[in-house]
Each structure stands twice: as structure tokens, then as C-alpha cells.
Amino acid sequence: MADAYNEKPGSANSGALSTLVTVFFFWGFIAAGNGVFIPFCKHYFHLDQFQSQLIDFAFYFAYYIGALVLYMISYALRREIVGRWGYKRSIVYGLLFSAIGALMMIVAVNANTFPGMLGGLFVVALGFSLQQTAANPFAAMLGAPETGAQRITLGGGINSFGTAIGPIVVALALFGATKANDAQIQSLGLDKVSVLYACVAALFIIAAALFFFSKKLPERKYDDVTERSPKALMALLIMTALLIGIFVFVFKSYTVVTTDKAILAGIEDTRVKLALAGLAVILGTLFVSLFSARSNPTGWGAMRYPQLVLGMLAIFTYVGVEVTIQSNMGALLEQPAFGGYTSSQIAPFISMYWGSLMVGRWTGSIKVFEPGQSLKTILLFVVPLIAFAVVLLVNVVAQNDVTPLYGYVACVLVQGIAFYISKDKPATTLMIFSMLGALSMILGIMTTGTVATYAFLSGGLFCSIMWPCIFALAIAGLGTLTSQGSAFLIMMILGGAIIPPIQGKLADMPSIGIHQSYWVPAIGFAYLAWYGFGVRRMLQKQGIDYDAGTGAGH
């Protein structure tokens, strides 16, 4: 791979990096802001919990489609299309795509159409998919190779800061200084949403201009030949066609207007079956691919490695769990047993959930600065407390009541203990954090009030370090197929589109309800714990003793 740009050893292009990390902020800001936008749209458009989760479906399905299209183009050309465009130009294209999506949101808002708003979010996230494909490797090459992980860690920290303040800014944009109850949301109108996305579109365009005209940012291109994997491509295309077919019916069910209870019951039953069918299609595709590649690896490319295929399912599960916990949290906090909060009052909790990921990622990045063992042990407890204080401070500045969140510091300290025990080993870290995540979900299900709220919020703490752990384990041993395997893993951000609607549908069922629906992330954490345990044996069978650090967060 020929480099068009090489920094002197030990140096770093700080000016270029400071420009680059702005896109990391955008990803976190918009994604976390959806946690407030979902309950707002639910009450404004009179949606049920399942319908409100279509926001996450549109947003995260776009990541999958974007990554799949890039893979298909690269497959046809036998060259990485992002490499041909260059990282800088790819990010500019991605930002312009996202700007178009923001403008589509404004048009949809003026037309007062929820499906149109979903389309706008889809295009915004489509641009994010392209940005993410280019930005991570771009950050890695902006300086000496041995400090590449440190620069990606910085990007992850900026991303997490965006997730912490996104819900607060979106709440202020939607509700202003008012604390409207849910019955009053309709009277607020959508004009503030229009203003919000006009500002977002302007920021995307300004960022694109900064990238395009910046002389500090090098133009990094490469034109490597890539190995084709026709069987993997066919499996993904079949899976995509089936998913689109399934969710076309889901969207059609949204447009049905009737008060007939029998018809409504039939629609609800159909939605449950369709949501589970979508999950079955993904599981079926991955497991059929796994067993087919085991018997005949030819044509499967990177998917002939079991650690990758099961890692794809792990990424799918992790992203789905991370998103579904917060996406359904608004409905949970509306319940009297959880405080009876209105949509305008939940921003501090959503901010703390995403802030919990920031807490974990800041803590997980300590090792890249190579402190001594004693100092590192101290920092494992000091850094998360500082990050926790930052989240509280941001909420205080926004004039949010943070009193209910003070006791959450106990959960933060538990995470520090988990980091100390895991010793930066990816498989061990994944097992410990997944088991703690499952236990926290079960505790939340078995209790109510503050204890349960803290338990569900702590899901963010235990999700925080999973992306780098899963990613590192899944691509271990892939050699020249590492780039292709990475692309397959990014596609599995799809989990954020599939799992939240499933939990939302279960929450709509009287026999289950929003509280018990949190068995969905509990089961997800259980699979992740199994993967952390099983992947170590898979790698050992291939002669790989993988015991590297966990790196930065996603």
C-alpha cells in the first residue's frame, strides 16, 4: 500500500487531527440526540413504542446499507473505493450526504410527515457511514504509526463527548426553557426541529468546506487489489433483500388508520412476527455462512474465519444493546415507578447514559499514555470520576436537575474495579463487562425506582469498551483479509436498527410492558459474554495467542 503522506517519526499533524475529530463529534451528537427525539416524536405524532423505534431503524439501517454499497463497489472494481477517492475526499462526500439528509428533515418537518423525517435521518446516517469508513484509518495515519491508536482514542473521546451533550442540546432545541408535559408537546410544534436541523445542515456544510480547503489535511489515497468473496456477497445480498421485504410490510402497517380492535390486534401480532423474522434472517444468514464456510472456505473471503462471523453477530448485538437501552429509556422513565418524568425532563438521564460510555472510554484509553503500574491503578478510579463530574457539569450548565444522579457514582466505581480486574485483555474484558451488563439488566428488571434506573443506566458503562474488544478479537488472524473483515463488522451496526424495534414491540404488549422488555438487552449481554469466552478458544485452535490491549472505543 503506497502512502501519499508520511509524517516524520514521532511527529503528529495536530492541526489536521483537530479538524478531523469534528466528524467524530457529529456521529455521537446526532445518535445520542435521538434518545430525546424518539419520545418527542412518539407524543407529537401519537406513535406507539414500536413506531417510535423506527427512528433508530432508519438511522442504523443506513449504516448497513452504506457499508454494503461501498463493499459492492469495491468488489466490482477489485479496488477499495474509499482508497481510490482518498480519505479526505470521502469524508467531504460523507458530510455533504449528511447535509442533504438534514435539509430533507427540514422539508419533512414543514410537511409534518413522520416517514419523511425517517428518510432524512436515513440520509444523514448514510453520510456518517462513509465518514466512518474513512475517518478511523485517516486518524491512524496522521502521525507516527506507533501513536495511531492514541489518535483514534482521541476521536473516540470526542465522539463520547458528543453523545453526552447531544441529548441536552436537542432537548433545549425542542423544548426550550419549558418543561412541557407530554400532553402539551403537540402545542410546541415542529418549527424548532426545523431550526435545529437547519443549524446541523449548516455545520455539515461548513465542516465539508473546512476539509476540502484545508491544506493541513493530506490527501491519502491507495489502490490495492482486494480479494473477491462471491459467496459472502451473495449471502449479504440475500439477507438485505429479505430484510427490505420484511420491513416494507412494517412501514405499511404504520400507515393503517383504524379503530377496529380486531384489526389493530392483527396488526400488532404481525409486527411482532415481522420484527422477529428480521432478527431470524440475520441470525440465519450468519450461521449458515459460518457452517458453509467451515465445510468449503473457497469464495467466502474473510467470512471463512469463525471469529469474524461470530464477531459480526457480536457487533450486531453490542450496537443493538447499546442503542435499545437508551431508546426505550424515555418510555421507562415515564412510568410512575421510575419517577413519572415527562419527555422534556429525561435529557439528564439520556445524557448520563451516553456519558457513561464517555466514562468508560476515557478510562479505557489510560493505557495508551503508558503510565506506571501504580499511577495507572490510581487513574483507573480518578479518570472515571472526572468524566462523571464533566457529565454532571454539562447538565448543571443546562440548568437540569442532577440531584437524582449523584448516587450513580457507585456504579462508576464498580466499573473502575472491572477495569482493574480485566488487565486490558480483550477477551477477559469482554467477558467481565458483558456479565456485569447482564447482571445490571436483571437487577433493573427485578427492582424499580432509583436502583433500577441506575442499573439500566450502567448498561452504558459496560457497553463502553465493547467495540474495540470485539473488533480486535474478530479480525485477529485475518491477515490480508483484515480490511474486508473490518468492512463486514461495520455493516453489523445494523443491530441498532433491528433490536430497538423488537424491544419496543415487546414493550407495547400488555403482557410484557416496557419494564420487562429489558430482558432483550439482558439476553444480548449474555451472548457477548459467551463470545468473549468462546473466541479465545477459536483463536487458540488457529495458533493465535491474542493478548493485546483493548484500544479506543467506538
Side-chain angles (χ1 to χ4, degrees), residues 144-192:
E146 60 268 22
T147 58
Q150 183 175 329
R151 290 186 291 278
I152 297 175
T153 296
L154 173 62
I158 297 298
N159 173 273
S160 296
F161 183 66
T163 64
I165 71 170
I168 297 171
V169 174
V170 171
L172 289 172
L174 295 178
F175 305 108
T178 68
K179 294 299 181 183
N181 61 43
D182 294 332
Q184 297 170 324
I185 284 179
Q186 187 104 25
S187 65
L188 294 177
L190 290 174
D191 56 318
K192 292 181 180 179

Side-chain angles (χ1 to χ4, degrees), residues 68-79 81 85:
L68 178 62
V69 169
L70 289 174
Y71 168 65
M72 291 171 61
I73 294 174
S74 299
Y75 179 91
L77 297 175
R78 298 204 70 179
R79 298 287 192 280
I81 186 62
W85 287 341

Side-chain angles (χ1 to χ4, degrees), residues 343-416:
S343 298
S344 61
Q345 296 173 324
I346 67 169
F349 295 94
I350 302 298
S351 173
M352 182 54 71
Y353 175 78
W354 288 110
S356 295
L357 276 88
M358 184 180 80
V359 170
R361 289 168 183 172
W362 285 17
T363 308
S365 65
I366 290 172
K367 62 181 173 46
V368 303
F369 299 102
E370 300 182 353
Q373 188 58 47
S374 298
L375 178 59
K376 180 180 177 181
T377 301
I378 295 172
L379 290 176
L380 284 177
F381 295 93
V382 173
V383 169
L385 291 176
I386 293 174
F388 175 64
V390 169
V391 179
L392 290 180
L393 179 61
V394 169
N395 278 277
V396 169
V397 171
Q399 297 184 338
N400 290 323
D401 180 15
V402 296
T403 305
L405 295 172
Y406 288 150
Y408 187 63
V409 68
C411 300
V412 174
L413 293 174
V414 168
Q415 187 200 51

Side-chain angles (χ1 to χ4, degrees), residues 92 157 267 278 479:
V92 171
I267 291 173

